[in-house]
Amino acid sequence: MTRKEFLKISGVKEKLEALATKYGFTVDQILDVIQKESNFNTKAENPKSKATGLIQFMPDTATGLAEMDVISQLDLIDKYFEQNHTKGEHPYITVAYPAAAKMGMDDVIATPNDSIAKQNPVWQDKDGNVTKKSILAYVGGEKEKGDVK
């Protein structure tokens, strides 16, 4: 599904606008996250972690996502953000590693041998470390060329 098609689903655009306003990010930023995590597929599942849904909730965080419609999943995302989001932070930090909201852009979250780095190689910088900056570079929130693999 394309971004345009996703936005044409009844109620989606309005729900995303409400989330963006409530949590201090843009609709484009949350769309980037959903596209990277699930390509707008509510039934998307990571074969390694079994994370599912639009933003890839872990099985212990939410169950039954594959059966939920788009609006129900967006309502669940709202509840998750209410508990975990730092207002004004990029939404991908909340999805990927909420504790990074209190960290600097270059603070090391994980080194190359840590499980976070091994499970998420797309988050690694040129040295193999995972930082807030390298996570955002993956989703397009940090555009500095040459900083990520």
Side-chain angles (χ1 to χ4, degrees):
M1 174 178 302
T2 67
R3 185 178 289 233
K4 240 181 210 177
E5 292 167 333
F6 185 71
L7 287 169
K8 286 183 181 176
I9 297 170
S10 179
V12 166
K13 185 176 181 188
E14 296 78 11
K15 184 66 178 176
L16 292 176
E17 287 170 348
L19 288 171
T21 299
K22 183 175 181 180
Y23 297 110
F25 49 75
T26 68
V27 171
D28 280 336
Q29 286 175 323
I30 191 66
L31 284 169
D32 289 344
V33 173
I34 293 169
Q35 185 170 18
K36 283 288 189 186
E37 291 298 301
S38 66
N39 204 28
F40 308 109
N41 178 0
T42 58
K43 297 180 186 324
E45 181 179 301
N46 182 311
K48 292 179 185 175
S49 69
K50 300 300 180 198
T52 58
L54 291 174
I55 64 167
Q56 296 291 284
F57 281 109
M58 294 300 288
D60 59 343
T61 305
T63 57
L65 282 169
E67 291 79 41
M68 287 185 188
D69 65 17
V70 173
I71 297 300
S72 297
Q73 283 200 26
L74 291 174
D75 287 340
L76 187 61
I77 290 168
D78 186 7
K79 288 178 187 172
Y80 175 77
F81 273 55
E82 195 166 292
Q83 295 173 355
N84 297 288
H85 187 69
T86 300
K87 189 164 184 162
E89 189 65 60
H90 192 289
Y92 197 54
I93 293 302
T94 304
V95 172
Y97 195 76
K102 294 177 175 57
M103 299 173 79
M105 291 298 280
D106 295 312
D107 290 349
V108 174
I109 294 166
T111 59
N113 292 323
D114 292 334
S115 61
I116 292 171
K118 287 180 178 179
Q119 291 170 0
N120 301 284
V122 294
W123 292 351
Q124 293 178 1
D125 65 15
K126 63 184 177 357
D127 299 319
N129 294 319
V130 175
T131 64
K132 189 173 178 177
K133 184 189 289 184
S134 69
I135 290 172
L136 290 174
Y138 169 69
V139 78
E142 185 67 27
K143 302 282 188 194
E144 292 181 25
K145 300 273 187 222
D147 283 343
V148 295
K149 287 183 171 181

